[in-house]
Amino acid sequence: MVKNLSRKNRNCWLEPEACSRDEIFSFCSDYIDFLSECKTERECVEYIQELALENGFVPLDTLIKKGRKPVKGDRVLVNHRDKVMILFVIGEEGIEKGINLVGSHIDTPRMDLKPSPLYEEQGMALFKTHYYGGIKKYQWTAIPLALHGIVIKSNGEKLEIVVGEDPGDTVFTITDLLPHLAKEQMEKKASEVIPGEGLNFVVGTIPREYNEDGKSIKGVKDAVLELLKDRYGMEEEDFISAELTAVPAGRATDVGLDRSLVGGYGQDDRVCAYVSFRSIMDIREPKKTCAAVFVDKEEVGSMGNTGMQSAFFENALAELIALTGGNCGDLQLGRALSNSCALSADVAAAVDPNYPDTHDKENAPRLGNGICIEKYTGHRGKSGGSDANAEYIARIRQVFNGSNIIWQSGELGKVDLGGGGTIAQFLANYGMDVLDCGIPVLNMHSPFELASKADIYMAYKAYTAFYRYME
Ligand code: MN
Ligand code: MN
């Protein structure tokens, strides 16, 4: 029974018929494990792929090699460069009639190592970083950081490196000035307090050798290189063909006396990614083919061969049409894309009680008030965003209301204060209908983002309803 409450300010915690607390807490405990274990796009792809393969998904390449035609209920997986994953569940209708797609991104702001990162200064060895995504740089100093990533040696051997996550493991940190000597620093604008070239983190302080006078004749950098050689068989030049990144160390966690929130790094947008993954895993024999897309590079504009602007998605869909329909011309692919319905599953900016004036109160997403739909994103006069058609939003409302989904409608914030975009515009370029629809978060792009457990669970119900009932 849906209570006769106004749509605005429905609170998930007060509607146990719509979401039981046991289910909320159990779902989010699994989510906290995922968030703690997967801190790069590669780690997310590995996690999703492993569970998908265990649950009946078959790589598209395997089907192509065998020339096997996927039929209703078949589960197909596409791994693109280990940074993008697409999961398909084949429906009863032909793919040309369109698919139901939920797209999220699995990249997050972080500190990437520069191609030549290692140097020595003041008797300390440090790694230089180049930050990735939109950050407030001052939030990333004086906190424990872990190192994640891969190194490809010149012989092609791949090293997978994670340092700083296990209890008792060593961590890293970017140093910052003490307040006592920060008079000049504190007078700077917040955007200039920490310069981009000041985001270097300490990796060692023990020099390699001493001479008789106790002075170092070989430096700390040499000692670190020796350590890398011993531990990983790595040469200095190997950094050139590496993707190593520093991210906040440690596990995601419950927040609040009532444990109603999840706190952790990377919830933009791994929260929507995890939820849509769980949703598509539940889908069996749908009417329309369902797809979950997990993409990279959203935080830097969806560029590159693993961003949503790359052709990987249409290529995968074309392969699938060719397998199911026998041939695939541009016309079939065009029909499939333009007949499709999409949710751009990305986080919304919840109103912050410490800064309530950044939002128009009538259009402010609130923690606990359910999944948030945003008709459009963008900057100033809506530039750089996708604006969903009214007709499409009405259909989504119908699906959500029919499944007792608690949802809210919001905008990114006050019109003149800034703005942002999602992958919605790139999905919209295919001609398909697309709506931004995700979980509100606080502390977005910081090392410790917050989301409401009730909204997370409600998003899982919402994406599942979309897959099942969107026609
Ligand atoms: Mn995002
Ligand atoms: Mn973001």
Side-chain angles (χ1 to χ4, degrees), residues 224-243:
V224 168
L225 281 172
E226 211 169 70
L227 213 144
L228 289 168
K229 178 92 182 160
D230 290 349
R231 200 166 296 170
Y232 304 109
M234 225 185 121
E235 307 287 345
E236 188 171 12
E237 194 187 287
D238 291 332
F239 281 114
I240 300 286
S241 52
E243 286 173 10

Side-chain angles (χ1 to χ4, degrees), residues 105 268-269 298-299 346-347 422 445:
H105 67 94
D268 171 12
D269 185 33
E298 192 276 344
E299 296 295 359
D346 206 342
V347 294
T422 64
H445 285 204

